[in-house]
């Protein structure tokens, strides 16, 4: 049992500040729900810190403190000029960093910070990366291609060891499970899923007993179908017709023609495949269709394709990232 009552320090890239604030608020709600009245003693902190308490699996209360103490500046040539103000306070404490690699420009500056936490004597280090952006380029099918997922995994694997051992890297709904083996033994990749949150939402629906799940391709089916306990999942497939690619229902729909079908995938960009999959399901007799995606990228406002669309979606669920972390914050450091 871990009897450590020192605060857990939470840092974040500026693009993830709102998420970090939601996490500490969530910790407060969890603490209240557990009817815990005592609060851990914590030292005074900067006015820019947000402090809350939460329960760690029966080990008592520990404080989680959001520290906005990293200066994210740039030199005139555009390269990062970074500074961590509280490295002495950080020493000997459990540290969490929430990052976002949504553009290549931001990856370098965050890697520089990630490498620094263990060197400034953080006792343990957890890096939460909700979205692994290179995940869709995870393998080489043709000579000359480059698997950038392996490149990024190599860079993350360079995070130094802490006093408690390897850093843990938490990623949600990675595109292909084999990507865990792209990371070196210097870190521990921890793959989580937000699909249980969809199941919780479905359980509240009036037609929950008349719902089936579909997947836009075999890859999504392999990654997600085990969450739904369905031995005959509905899968779609892309078929080339001349210069066009047509989405058709491959199997699993024949005996379920009057159901509400939810299409499940990890990532949506333009949304073209989702729309074609929904259209194919309706043509095969589905009563209605909805969609769920973990990572709504939607570049160039492509979400507008689903507004007043010729294919009607009853629901379109996307996961706000702080909800994805709900399962994570219940786990002891």
């Amino acid at each position: 049992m871990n009897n450590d009552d020192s605060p857990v320090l939470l840092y974040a890239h500026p693009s993830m500040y709102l998420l970090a604030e939601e996490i500490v608020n969530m910790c407060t709600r969890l603490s209240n729900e557990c009817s815990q009245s005592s609060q851990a003693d914590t030292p005074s902190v900067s006015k820019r810190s947000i402090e809350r308490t939460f329960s760690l699996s029966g080990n008592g209360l520990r404080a989680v403190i959001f520290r906005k103490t990293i200066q994210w500046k740039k030199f005139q040539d555009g390269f990062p000029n970074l500074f961590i103000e509280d490295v002495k306070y950080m020493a000997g404490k459990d540290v969490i960093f929430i990052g976002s690699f949504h553009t290549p420009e931001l990856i370098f500056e965050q890697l520089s910070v990630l490498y620094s936490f263990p060197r400034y004597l953080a006792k343990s280090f957890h890096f939460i990366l909700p979205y692994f952006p290179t995940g869709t380029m995870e393998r080489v099918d043709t000579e000359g291609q480059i698997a950038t997922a392996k490149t990024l995994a190599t860079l993350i694997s360079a995070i130094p060891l802490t006093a408690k051992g390897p850093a843990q890297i938490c990623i949600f709904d990675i595109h292909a499970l084999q990507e865990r083996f792209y990371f070196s033994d210097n870190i521990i990749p921890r793959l989580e899923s937000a699909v249980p949150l969809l199941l919780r939402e479905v359980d509240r629906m009036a037609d929950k007993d008349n719902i089936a799940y579909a997947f836009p391709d075999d890859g999504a089916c392999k990654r997600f179908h085990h969450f739904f306990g369905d031995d005959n999942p509905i899968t779609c497939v892309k078929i080339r017709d001349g210069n066009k690619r047509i989405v058709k229902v491959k199997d699993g729909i024949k005996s379920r023609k009057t159901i509400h079908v939810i299409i499940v995938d990890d990532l949506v960009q333009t949304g073209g495949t989702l729309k074609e999959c929904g259209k194919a399901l309706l043509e095969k007799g589905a009563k209605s269709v909805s969609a769920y995606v973990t990572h709504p990228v939607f570049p160039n406002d492509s979400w507008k394709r689903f507004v007043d669309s010729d294919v009607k979606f009853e629901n379109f669920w996307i996961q706000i990232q702080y909800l994805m972390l709900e399962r994570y914050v219940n786990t002891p450091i």
Side-chain angles (χ1 to χ4, degrees):
M1 179 178 290
N2 179 14
N3 294 318
D4 186 4
D5 61 356
S6 64
V8 177
L9 306 187
L10 176 64
Y11 297 83
H13 186 264
S15 63
M16 306 299 276
Y17 278 176
L18 180 60
L19 172 60
E21 292 167 358
E22 290 289 350
I23 287 176
V24 292
N25 289 332
M26 183 193 305
C27 291
T28 300
R29 293 194 297 270
L30 290 173
S31 177
N32 292 336
E33 290 171 3
C34 292
S35 300
Q36 297 286 353
S37 58
S38 62
Q39 292 192 354
D41 295 329
T42 57
S44 59
V45 296
S46 165
K47 292 181 180 179
R48 288 177 293 162
S49 298
I50 298 176
E51 181 179 350
R52 295 292 186 271
T53 57
F54 65 106
S55 176
L56 284 179
S57 299
N59 292 338
L61 290 175
R62 292 183 68 186
V64 57
I65 305 174
F66 176 28
R67 304 283 288 185
K68 293 184 180 179
T69 52
I70 302 176
Q71 296 180 13
W72 301 88
K73 298 180 180 180
K74 293 184 182 297
F75 291 106
Q76 291 185 352
D77 60 3
F79 274 84
N81 178 12
L82 308 169
F83 186 80
I84 304 175
E85 300 173 5
D86 58 345
V87 291
K88 291 185 178 180
Y89 179 62
M90 177 201 307
K93 294 184 176 63
D94 297 308
V95 172
I96 300 173
F97 180 82
I98 306 173
S100 178
F101 287 0
H102 58 278
T103 66
E105 177 186 3
L106 299 180
I107 293 177
F108 178 71
E109 65 179 11
Q110 289 178 76
L111 284 173
S112 301
V113 171
L114 294 175
Y115 296 165
S116 297
F117 285 126
R119 293 193 175 103
Y120 283 120
L121 305 181
K123 182 168 61 175
S124 70
F125 182 53
H126 290 62
F127 173 38
I128 302 176
L129 183 65
Y131 172 47
F132 192 65
T134 58
T136 52
M137 192 57 212
E138 83 281 359
R139 66 181 184 273
V140 173
D141 298 314
T142 305
E143 288 293 334
Q145 287 182 321
I146 297 175
T148 51
K150 178 64 171 68
T151 306
L152 187 56
T154 300
L155 292 171
I156 295 174
S157 296
I159 297 175
L161 297 175
T162 69
K164 279 189 174 180
Q168 291 191 37
I169 315 300
C170 180
I171 301 173
F172 285 84
D173 290 307
I174 200 163
H175 191 68
L177 290 177
Q178 66 266 24
E179 291 175 33
R180 72 165 72 235
F181 302 108
Y182 290 170
F183 297 90
S184 77
D185 294 338
N186 200 51
I187 63 167
I188 300 175
R190 178 174 163 183
L191 308 185
E192 301 283 354
S193 178
V195 172
L197 295 179
L198 168 66
L199 296 176
R200 186 179 67 183
E201 186 68 23
V202 169
D203 192 55
R204 299 170 179 168
M205 297 174 62
D207 61 347
K208 64 180 181 180
D209 296 325
N210 197 36
I211 286 177
Y213 299 92
F215 307 94
D217 52 51
D218 289 328
C221 182
K222 290 177 181 178
R223 288 194 300 277
F224 298 122
H225 85 274
H226 64 277
F227 284 102
F228 305 101
D230 191 345
D231 295 330
N232 186 30
I234 304 171
T235 55
C236 297
V237 63
K238 292 180 182 178
I239 300 175
R240 185 175 294 278
D241 182 9
N243 294 327
K244 296 181 179 179
R245 283 189 175 183
I246 301 174
V247 176
K248 294 186 177 182
V249 179
K250 180 180 177 182
D251 48 33
I253 191 70
K254 292 182 179 179
S255 60
R256 299 181 281 192
K257 291 187 177 180
T258 60
I259 52 176
H260 180 178
V261 181
I262 300 176
I263 307 168
V264 178
D265 203 0
D266 61 342
L267 175 72
V268 60
Q269 298 228 33
T270 63
T273 299
L274 275 181
K275 285 187 61 177
E276 291 301 315
C277 187
K279 182 178 180 181
L281 289 166
L282 291 171
E283 290 176 350
K284 284 290 185 179
K287 183 178 179 180
S288 58
V289 294
S290 293
Y292 163 89
V293 293
T294 301
H295 305 302
V297 180
F298 287 134
N300 302 317
D301 291 334
S302 56
W303 59 268
K304 293 180 180 179
R305 299 182 65 175
F306 293 90
V307 179
D308 297 325
S309 170
D310 56 329
V311 181
K312 180 182 178 182
F313 284 79
E314 296 295 323
N315 305 281
F316 199 117
W317 291 285
I318 59 176
Q319 289 305 328
I320 304 301
Q321 290 178 333
Y322 82 87
L323 291 177
M324 295 163 59
L325 297 171
E326 182 172 323
R327 298 169 68 230
Y328 180 84
V329 298
N330 285 305
T331 305
I333 297 299

